[in-house]
């Protein structure tokens, strides 16, 4: 007979702590928006959450140098990518699609590291097929970053938390070789150029191993993998060449892991890529000289951000 204490209680076995722990691990706190949830109706209010991009001279110079790399490739186009993709010639359609994909992936990986030095070391991504990306990630990208580090300069910026962590690893790696401490090193300053030379002279194998590991984690961390963008590049290119503008492109990037929230770095990376594609490449909606005028690209970027900020008021 049941005791008064147990009378009326449920006879189902209570869940064990192990079962509860498994349920917590199997329940994700957040996932990127699925493709079937992607709606063609875009709300312009998505722009009001745009982060404030740094307007310091160093960030402006980095944007100008990245724009110059894109402009060097845009010179070879006979028409804008949207016109090429709509052409009757199969070769022109393929050329427009390949250029658009190269724009997306080149800017994304350049901004992942955040310095023009890395972008120049890696160069433009001519091919975006699986074989080329397998060679790029992480081998070629890490080698490009190591070349910059061996020259005594930072291969990684300091706009994101992940970048600042890798930047600290670069400094620690220089110290392993007895290099002097110092701040940012830029080629146009004589004193900083001398510090870069001293750092380059003190390169050690242990320091190189440290930065290689840091660069690989920056590229392929679980919370911001680069491969998801490659898998969804057709979606991003299609929206970028559509008539939805910046809101549609940012909405599409919400489906890409590593380029959306709730992580602040991912959210900022998504906005960075959307702004870059729409203000400094031939994929922009503007009919101005965005293809070849860096000062116009900067002006367009700042004007677009002000328009986003105005929607929040």
């Amino acid at each position: 007979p049941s005791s008064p204490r147990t009378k009326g209680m449920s006879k189902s076995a209570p869940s064990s702590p192990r079962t509860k722990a498994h349920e917590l691990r199997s329940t994700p706190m957040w996932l990127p928006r699925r493709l079937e949830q992607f709606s063609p109706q875009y709300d312009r209010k998505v722009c009001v959450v745009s982060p404030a991009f740094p307007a310091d001279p160093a960030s402006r110079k980095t944007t100008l140098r990245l724009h110059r790399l894109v402009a060097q490739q845009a010179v070879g186009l006979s028409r804008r990518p949207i016109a090429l993709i709509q052409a009757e010639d199969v070769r022109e359609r393929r050329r427009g699609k390949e250029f658009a994909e190269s724009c997306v992936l080149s800017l994304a990986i350049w901004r992942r590291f955040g310095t023009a030095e890395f972008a120049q070391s890696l160069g433009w991504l001519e091919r975006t097929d699986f074989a080329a990306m397998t060679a790029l990630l992480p081998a070629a990208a890490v080698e490009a970053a190591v070349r910059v580090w061996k020259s005594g300069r930072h291969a990684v910026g300091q706009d994101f938390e992940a970048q600042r962590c890798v930047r600290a690893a670069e400094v620690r790696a220089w110290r392993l070789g007895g290099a002097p401490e110092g701040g940012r090193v830029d080629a146009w300053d004589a004193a900083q150029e001398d510090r870069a030379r001293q750092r380059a002279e003190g390169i050690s194998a242990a320091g190189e191993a440290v930065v290689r590991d840091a660069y690989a984690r920056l590229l392929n961390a679980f919370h911001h993998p680069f491969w998801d963008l490659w898998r969804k590049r057709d979606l991003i290119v299609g929206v970028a060449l559509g008539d939805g503008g910046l809101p549609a492109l940012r909405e599409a990037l919400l489906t890409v892991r590593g380029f959306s929230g709730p992580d602040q770095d991912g959210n900022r990376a998504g906005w960075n890529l959307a702004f870059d594609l729409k203000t400094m490449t031939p994929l922009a909606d503007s009919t101005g000289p965005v293809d070849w005028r860096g000062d116009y690209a900067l002006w367009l970027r700042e004007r677009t951000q002000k328009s986003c900020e105005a929607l929040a008021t």
Side-chain angles (χ1 to χ4, degrees), residues 117 152-154 167 183-187 192-193 195-196 199:
E117 288 81 9
R153 294 179 174 81
H154 285 287
R167 194 180 179 91
R184 177 165 178 159
V185 176
D186 296 313
Q192 293 172 335
E193 184 69 20
R195 191 183 304 122
R199 286 174 170 175

Side-chain angles (χ1 to χ4, degrees), residues 50-87:
S50 167
F53 294 107
D56 58 281
S59 298
R60 292 171 62 90
K61 287 178 181 178
T62 298
T63 300
L64 283 173
R65 293 171 70 182
L66 295 184
H67 175 268
R68 194 176 300 122
L69 293 175
V70 177
Q72 291 172 357
Q73 303 298 322
V75 171
L77 295 177
S78 58
R79 289 178 286 176
R80 285 211 166 185
I82 182 62
L84 291 174
I85 289 178
Q86 296 174 351

Side-chain angles (χ1 to χ4, degrees), residues 166-227:
V166 177
R167 194 180 179 91
E170 290 179 325
V171 175
R172 290 196 305 270
W174 278 319
R175 289 175 182 170
L176 288 175
E181 299 183 14
R184 177 165 178 159
V185 176
D186 296 313
W188 52 82
D189 187 288
Q192 293 172 335
E193 184 69 20
D194 183 64
R195 191 183 304 122
R197 180 185 55 79
Q198 296 176 16
R199 286 174 170 175
E201 291 175 352
I203 296 301
S204 65
E208 182 177 342
V210 169
V211 295
R212 282 184 181 275
D213 179 66
Y215 296 149
R217 284 187 282 107
L218 179 65
L219 273 173
N220 296 317
F222 177 78
H223 60 288
H224 53 79
F226 199 81
W227 277 106

Side-chain angles (χ1 to χ4, degrees), residues 25-178:
R25 286 197 302 268
S26 62
T27 304
M29 295 181 63
W30 177 87
L31 287 174
R33 189 174 300 184
R34 298 193 303 271
L35 291 180
E36 56 266 25
Q37 295 174 325
F38 184 69
S39 171
Q41 303 299 326
Y42 308 109
D43 187 357
R44 289 190 59 84
K45 291 182 180 179
V46 72
C47 284
V48 302
V49 295
S50 167
F53 294 107
D56 58 281
S59 298
R60 292 171 62 90
K61 287 178 181 178
T62 298
T63 300
L64 283 173
R65 293 171 70 182
L66 295 184
H67 175 268
R68 194 176 300 122
L69 293 175
V70 177
Q72 291 172 357
Q73 303 298 322
V75 171
L77 295 177
S78 58
R79 289 178 286 176
R80 285 211 166 185
I82 182 62
L84 291 174
I85 289 178
Q86 296 174 351
E88 296 182 358
D89 190 356
V90 176
R91 290 174 299 180
E92 287 193 348
R93 291 202 302 269
R94 184 172 63 250
R95 172 59 176 157
K97 181 177 182 295
E98 289 175 350
F99 180 85
E101 290 183 358
S102 295
C103 266
V104 172
L105 295 175
S106 295
L107 284 167
I109 197 168
W110 293 348
R111 288 293 189 183
R112 175 66 61 90
F113 282 79
T115 63
E117 288 81 9
F118 169 79
Q120 291 174 336
S121 178
L122 180 65
W124 180 261
L125 303 186
E126 292 285 352
R127 293 173 51 196
T128 59
D129 55 275
F130 179 75
M133 296 304 296
T134 302
L136 173 69
L137 301 173
V142 170
E143 288 297 333
V146 170
R147 285 195 297 269
V148 177
W149 177 80
K150 284 184 174 180
S151 70
R153 294 179 174 81
H154 285 287
V156 179
Q158 48 189 347
D159 292 336
F160 306 139
E161 182 63 28
Q163 291 178 352
R164 289 189 286 270
C165 292
V166 177
R167 194 180 179 91
E170 290 179 325
V171 175
R172 290 196 305 270
W174 278 319
R175 289 175 182 170
L176 288 175

